[in-house]
Amino acid sequence: CCYKNLADLGLELTFPETNSSLILVRKVPMCFMEREANELRRKRQPITKSIVEELIQEQIELVQATGGGARGTLPLTFLKVLASQACHGAIKFNERLTLEESCELIEALSSCKLPFQCAHGRPSMLPLADIDHLQQEEQPKPNLARLRKMVRAWQLFGK
């Protein structure tokens, strides 16, 4: 019952008539192959087979739990693969950026629905102190209304 949905996601399966428990994988989604290439570049074991097995098991459990009625969402297995890819291509802590790259990054984050965390839920930005004002005798008062808005945004989108 999941065959069409999986095919739409790029996973083509065939079921030989001679063996009812055998599933042949004819095609896998490109994101699985890209993840495999990343693993092989790092001299790790191939993982496509285990990802496909995880996806098939996930779909079996979904059909058993819902009677085949829950469809239309991206399977968790895909989300995990895509989140991993996003993190591997991300800017890492202590990586130097030019002013232009920093501005582009902030502009790109401002268009995101969840700009405060990565795909795995780790913080992607943290508030910094304004060091220039620390040396002044008269420190400016914090803009509490703005801080409350930022905290509220963090509570709504940051978790």
Side-chain angles (χ1 to χ4, degrees):
C1 68
C2 301
Y3 178 79
K4 174 75 171 97
N5 290 345
L6 293 175
D8 289 344
L9 293 170
L11 183 68
E12 289 185 15
L13 306 173
T14 57
F15 306 91
E17 293 177 17
T18 57
N19 188 342
S20 62
S21 64
L22 189 66
I23 300 173
L24 298 176
V25 179
R26 300 179 48 104
K27 191 178 187 183
V28 297
M30 181 60 81
C31 63
F32 290 9
M33 296 308 299
E34 289 171 358
R35 174 80 193 276
E36 173 94 0
N38 285 336
E39 294 298 314
L40 294 176
R41 269 194 298 278
R42 291 180 174 85
K43 305 205 183 326
R44 297 179 183 161
Q45 295 296 313
I47 58 163
T48 301
K49 181 180 179 208
S50 63
I51 293 173
V52 170
E53 288 172 348
E54 181 182 341
L55 177 60
I56 292 170
Q57 185 62 42
E58 178 186 354
Q59 294 302 304
I60 290 169
E61 290 170 6
L62 182 68
V63 168
Q64 289 173 339
T66 65
R71 292 192 189 122
T73 61
L74 195 61
L76 181 60
T77 305
F78 273 88
L79 293 174
K80 287 194 283 188
V81 168
L82 294 172
S84 174
Q85 280 183 289
C87 275
H88 287 296
I91 298 164
K92 304 294 189 265
F93 186 74
N94 267 349
E95 188 173 329
R96 294 186 185 272
L97 299 176
T98 65
L99 179 60
E100 184 179 319
E101 289 170 328
S102 298
C103 290
E104 288 174 4
L105 177 61
I106 291 170
E107 186 175 326
L109 282 170
S110 70
S111 67
C112 294
K113 290 182 180 178
L114 299 171
F116 302 109
Q117 65 187 31
C118 78
H120 291 103
R122 296 181 192 103
S124 59
M125 65 175 88
L126 297 170
L128 299 175
D130 187 353
I131 297 172
D132 293 334
H133 290 97
L134 295 178
Q135 302 302 323
Q136 295 176 358
E137 288 187 30
E138 274 191 52
Q139 292 190 6
K141 292 182 180 179
N143 183 339
L144 294 178
R146 185 167 179 242
L147 287 173
R148 283 187 193 102
K149 284 182 185 178
M150 290 174 69
V151 167
R152 183 69 180 137
W154 176 258
Q155 290 170 339
L156 290 173
F157 301 110
K159 294 183 179 178

